[in-house]
Amino acid sequence: MDVSKRKLANRRRSVFLFPFICVLVATLTAAVSLEQVLRSWYLERTEQDMQQVLAITLNTIKRIGSDNYEIGVAVDSIGLATPKYHISIANLDAQLIGDSYLDENGLGLADNLKQAPEFQQALQRGEARLIRFNPVSAKEIFYLAKRFTIGQFNGVIRIGLAIDEYNKAVYELRWLLVMLALVGMLLMGILVSMFSRYINALMSKEQSTLESRVEERTRDILLLHRLTNMLAACQNLKEVQTVVEDIVPRIIGSLNCSISLVNSSRNLVEKKIDWSGNWPGEKVFNPQECWALRKGKPHFSHDELSSQICEHMGESEENTLCIPLVAHGNAIGLMHLILTGRAESLSNDMIFTIAEHLGLALANLNMQEKLRQQATRDPLTGLHNRRHFEEAIDKELSRSQRYHEPCALLMIDIDNFKSFNDTFGHDAGDYVLKAISLLLKEAVRSEDTLCRLGGEELAVLLPKANINDAIACADKLCRMVSRNHFQLHSTALGTVTISIGISVYPVHALSAEGLNKSADLALYEAKTKGRNRFEVAINNEEGEHSYCLVEVDEEKKQAKRSNS
């Protein structure tokens, strides 16, 4: 243990020493490089400024003249504008013609420039630049000299700048280096702190990883529990889609998924639900087109051992996973996933668990739907039964009362149906019942409720329909049924007629019981007056029921008009 601790301590010392060495080397390298860069930049910038002053001076001389007096005036004016530069102009004999630091008396007493090395170099090369000590000013001076010719004058212009500007820049550079060193120390402290945190992070990494995994696993378990509870409470596929769109992406991410169900004949599979994007595969396909259904096991389209894409995926080349949804020993459908992005890090067990919950939920939903159909549908005609009718009429009357809208009820009875059964048999009677139910179903609106109350008695509930709407509907139904000729196999059954009683909320009744009673009485009146007709219930002033006759038979109408 002591040996391992010493090794750990040595490692820590080496880790802490490393950033100090790096910062020190980086600071020294930066200091040397920065001084060289600044020196080069300073001299280059100074020379540029001096070239500009030189060009301005020569242009001024060109404009005002090139005799000795005019040259002196030009030098003095430029010198006043740029006092830090020492501007001198001499002829080829090295005699000073103008100097920005000397007046006329000073020019007469000043030495010529014959001994100045920059003057000699300018005469020989045309241009010279150098740094030398000037004994007169006792300073280091940076000189730029250039030979020129303007008009009849040939001479040399010299511009000088005291090197103390450069020394000042060096002084500022040293302060900059001090600041750089301080910044380096600060960076070194930051690096040491970062390395210390890095070491602490390494020591606690495994613990954090385990905690993260436990937290993620707990979250997934809670989401699965929530998914199970919500699926158990769903009553239709629309609610199932809403639940899976909300919860499943929180577990497996935004993977493009869909759920397809096998139909009752087990010869087609149809997509019912999808989420996280449009599903690229077929919407309806044969069970044999899916490897997962044929194998009875999950199927990956691309894995390490093979690449077999299901036919129902069409031209899609995506990596897909098909999982059979099994419930009560039967495959009721498929769950499809396109495996992209986060899917590579997902556990297959989690996906299979979700598929298992979905399979059980959809199987229970299918069973509930079958029970609901049995409870609310007539098995012979497929129409809603009396139980559904009673719920529907209460619901529609409540809605009509809330929004102050009418609601009509048509009570329908097949005429002479008992004698029809006695003549042609119950098979023919069942056939006619189904045929008439189909005719009525096609004739009424989608929002209307068509029910078989029992035997040959039917009812149609017409929401938002007034008396005129109900009369038009009843007339349409009577005509449609009476004009139809029924035939079972090769036996002609002839025509069948219906009688209809009409009552309307709130004209004839304010309750479901009153509406039913009014319609029954109107139907009875239609039967009494000859059948194949409809009657409307009316309240007279004494409150007694009477009925308004509306003929269906056109011949009877014409006879009535001729008699009148």
Side-chain angles (χ1 to χ4, degrees), residues 91-94 113-114 117-128 145-147 155-156:
N91 56 23
L92 297 181
D93 296 329
L113 301 181
K114 187 173 292 185
E118 65 273 11
F119 180 84
Q120 298 297 331
Q121 292 181 15
L123 288 177
Q124 297 173 5
R125 304 174 188 173
E127 188 172 322
K146 184 176 182 179
R147 183 174 178 175
V156 174

Side-chain angles (χ1 to χ4, degrees), residues 64-346:
I64 66 175
S66 59
D67 60 13
N68 291 349
Y69 174 76
E70 291 168 341
I71 290 174
V73 171
V75 169
D76 290 338
S77 63
I78 300 300
L80 290 174
T82 57
K84 68 177 182 179
Y85 295 107
H86 183 188
I87 304 173
S88 304
I89 296 180
N91 56 23
L92 297 181
D93 296 329
Q95 181 181 359
L96 281 171
I97 305 301
D99 193 292
S100 61
Y101 282 7
L102 300 175
D103 55 13
E104 293 181 358
N105 296 328
L107 287 175
L109 300 176
D111 296 334
N112 58 32
L113 301 181
K114 187 173 292 185
Q115 301 301 323
E118 65 273 11
F119 180 84
Q120 298 297 331
Q121 292 181 15
L123 288 177
Q124 297 173 5
R125 304 174 188 173
E127 188 172 322
R129 57 179 61 78
L130 57 84
I131 298 175
R132 68 178 179 85
F133 180 79
N134 189 324
V136 177
S137 61
K139 294 180 181 180
E140 291 283 341
I141 306 294
F142 175 46
Y143 287 108
L144 174 66
K146 184 176 182 179
R147 183 174 178 175
F148 72 96
T149 300
I150 297 177
Q152 301 297 323
F153 183 82
N154 293 322
V156 174
I157 181 172
R158 183 187 70 173
I159 299 178
L161 177 65
I163 204 68
D164 57 350
E165 292 289 336
Y166 174 74
N167 293 334
K168 181 180 178 182
V170 172
Y171 178 77
E172 293 177 354
L173 174 62
R174 288 172 182 169
W175 273 108
L176 182 62
L177 292 177
V178 171
M179 297 299 297
L180 184 62
L182 293 176
V183 172
M185 296 298 294
L186 179 62
L187 288 175
M188 184 169 58
I190 294 174
L191 287 174
V192 169
S193 176
M194 291 177 61
F195 271 91
S196 176
R197 292 179 181 179
Y198 174 73
I199 292 173
N200 292 332
L202 286 177
M203 295 175 64
S204 60
K205 182 178 179 180
E206 185 154 354
Q207 181 180 356
S208 299
T209 303
L210 290 175
E211 290 177 356
S212 176
R213 288 178 180 175
V214 169
E215 183 178 353
E216 183 178 356
R217 189 64 176 173
T218 302
R219 177 178 174 274
D220 289 343
I221 291 173
L222 291 175
L223 286 172
L224 281 174
H225 183 67
R226 176 67 62 84
L227 177 65
T228 303
N229 290 338
M230 294 300 294
L231 289 176
C234 291
Q235 295 183 350
N236 50 56
L237 285 176
K238 185 177 180 180
E239 292 181 352
V240 172
Q241 175 151 357
T242 303
V243 170
V244 297
E245 281 181 348
D246 178 45
I247 299 179
V248 174
R250 301 173 188 265
I251 304 175
I252 63 175
S254 299
L255 298 181
N256 193 350
C257 305
S258 73
I259 294 176
S260 301
L261 298 180
V262 180
N263 66 354
S264 57
S265 301
R266 305 196 65 81
N267 60 351
L268 287 177
V269 182
E270 182 179 359
K271 182 184 73 64
K272 296 293 186 180
I273 300 172
D274 63 354
W275 65 93
S276 300
N278 294 325
W279 183 250
E282 299 290 340
K283 305 300 185 291
V284 180
F285 56 92
N286 191 285
Q288 297 302 315
E289 296 178 7
C290 181
W291 286 104
L293 284 178
R294 291 164 66 177
K295 296 188 303 182
K297 296 180 181 179
H299 174 73
F300 291 90
S301 62
H302 301 282
D303 57 18
E304 299 176 355
L305 301 178
S306 65
S307 179
Q308 297 293 331
I309 303 175
C310 295
E311 292 183 23
H312 63 83
M313 289 307 300
E315 298 179 357
S316 176
E317 297 293 333
E318 300 281 356
N319 185 16
T320 58
L321 169 62
C322 297
I323 307 173
L325 301 180
V326 180
H328 312 298
N330 295 319
I332 64 169
L334 278 171
M335 178 178 178
H336 317 267
L337 300 92
I338 294 181
L339 303 177
T340 57
R342 188 193 166 200
E344 296 179 357
S345 61
L346 283 175

